[in-house]
Amino acid sequence: MIKLNSSDHYIKQLKQKIESKVRHPFLARFIPEPAVDEDKLVILSSIMDHTSLSSVKKEQYIITTMLVQIALDTHDLVTLTEDDDDQETIRNRQLTVLAGDYYSGLYYYLLSQLEDIPMIQTLAGAIKEINELKMELYYKDVESFQEFLNGLKKIESLLIQRVASYVQRTTINDIAGEWLLAKKLLEEKKSYQEGKFSPLIDVLVKRPGILGNSGQVIVNIEQMLQSHVHRLEATVSQLPIHFNWLKSHVHSAIHHQFNQRQIAEEG
């Protein structure tokens, strides 16, 4: 059992445990191993640190929630373009779906060992709601960029917020939503500018009524990030003193990922 405390060393240990659980020799031959979202791991750890749960349950909740996140992220990697119809692409697509299902099964298995039906219901409900939100965001009409951002923020943070509500520790819910939204937008913008496919920006480009052409999409995202970062940093500073480690981590992430110079350089 990992010793429960919010520290870089603890996060590293947790990350290694999660990676060892999702590592599958057959899948690794054909598709990349899933990435563990360290920022979400940090948020979950901070939430659990301030509960009276046993160390066993804290660790189990963190790992199972992250397995759900990995399953959701893996299913998002499935390509649906008609042009990619060669046998290798089809096989990789099928294996990616299989991998997502495999990671989903892992968290059910772990929770069944803990015999925690309410937590299983919490996670299952969150999965259902997130998938519904994704359908609305990507396939239904969105009237404004702000509405689009609101939907994206829910998708990025809802799983963590549902778990936080379950353990009755919702202090950082709002900050988590703002932080994860900014991070997601920065990642998508960087991916798009590197010539990689960005499903998020692709949706916005295909809906010129929201922002206009691709150039306007990037400009609007940059402007949003610049104002968002200042607001996020001010909000984080107001967290209670017992969240000092989380505050330090967020400030570090802001300076490394969201500072104005980086945003300008990437733009």
Side-chain angles (χ1 to χ4, degrees):
M1 180 59 54
I2 299 173
K3 183 180 179 181
L4 262 287
N5 57 26
S6 287
S7 67
D8 293 337
H9 180 62
Y10 169 53
I11 294 300
K12 183 178 180 180
Q13 287 181 301
L14 265 179
K15 189 175 179 181
Q16 289 173 343
K17 271 203 164 188
I18 295 167
E19 288 172 341
S20 69
K21 289 184 181 299
V22 299
R23 191 171 294 121
H24 192 288
F26 175 75
L27 293 173
R29 288 168 53 194
F30 302 100
I31 60 176
E33 289 193 1
V36 177
D37 191 319
E38 196 164 309
D39 290 317
K40 291 181 180 179
L41 188 55
V42 166
I43 295 170
L44 281 169
S45 173
S46 296
I47 291 169
M48 294 301 164
D49 269 358
H50 298 94
T51 69
S52 58
L53 295 169
S54 69
S55 295
V56 173
K57 277 202 171 185
K58 286 178 181 179
E59 183 181 317
Q60 196 83 339
Y61 282 178
I62 292 170
I63 291 176
T64 51
T65 302
M66 289 304 300
L67 287 173
V68 172
Q69 186 63 62
I70 288 171
L72 290 167
D73 292 343
T74 300
H75 280 145
D76 284 346
L77 296 175
V78 179
T79 57
L80 298 175
T81 54
E82 296 179 1
D83 295 335
D84 297 332
D85 56 0
D86 61 274
Q87 289 301 311
E88 183 177 356
T89 301
I90 292 172
R91 181 186 62 184
N92 287 351
R93 184 185 303 155
Q94 292 170 336
L95 285 171
T96 302
V97 173
L98 179 63
D101 293 340
Y102 170 68
Y103 305 141
S104 297
L106 278 176
Y107 86 79
Y108 279 119
Y109 171 69
L110 291 173
L111 280 177
S112 68
Q113 290 182 313
L114 197 61
E115 297 181 350
D116 199 325
I117 301 302
M119 184 58 166
I120 293 176
Q121 293 172 333
T122 296
L123 294 175
I127 292 170
K128 179 178 180 292
E129 193 171 348
I130 288 169
N131 286 330
E132 289 172 351
L133 287 168
K134 287 179 179 178
M135 292 295 291
E136 291 180 4
L137 191 70
Y138 288 102
Y139 298 106
K140 292 186 178 180
D141 290 335
V142 179
E143 294 182 0
S144 67
F145 186 44
Q146 189 57 53
E147 183 182 345
F148 185 88
L149 291 178
N150 290 342
L152 182 61
K153 182 166 69 173
K154 286 181 182 179
I155 289 169
E156 288 300 304
S157 60
L158 189 140
L159 179 63
I160 287 175
Q161 290 176 348
R162 289 290 179 270
V163 172
S165 295
Y166 178 72
V167 298
Q168 300 180 352
R169 291 294 183 273
T170 59
T171 304
I172 61 176
N173 270 4
D174 290 340
I175 290 171
E178 298 296 331
W179 181 13
L180 295 174
L181 171 63
K183 177 186 172 185
K184 180 66 172 179
L185 287 172
L186 188 60
E187 289 173 349
E188 292 289 324
K189 182 174 78 76
K190 182 179 179 182
S191 178
Y192 180 79
Q193 291 179 322
E194 290 176 349
K196 301 174 184 176
F197 178 69
S198 165
L200 199 67
I201 294 179
D202 185 62
V203 168
L204 290 171
V205 170
K206 290 178 178 178
R207 298 176 182 177
I210 300 178
L211 286 177
N213 58 39
S214 58
Q216 290 173 301
V217 170
I218 295 299
V219 169
N220 275 273
I221 288 177
E222 288 173 351
Q223 291 175 344
M224 193 286 304
L225 279 169
Q226 289 177 26
S227 61
H228 192 80
V229 167
H230 292 302
R231 189 166 63 251
L232 177 61
E233 195 159 20
T235 305
V236 169
S237 298
Q238 297 173 12
L239 278 173
I241 191 169
H242 53 272
F243 283 108
N244 274 350
W245 180 79
L246 176 64
K247 290 163 70 172
S248 175
H249 183 92
V250 175
H251 282 307
S252 177
I254 288 171
H255 289 302
H256 283 89
Q257 299 179 50
F258 307 133
N259 64 71
Q260 301 305 310
R261 184 188 306 171
Q262 181 179 359
I263 291 173
E265 287 175 353
E266 290 183 356

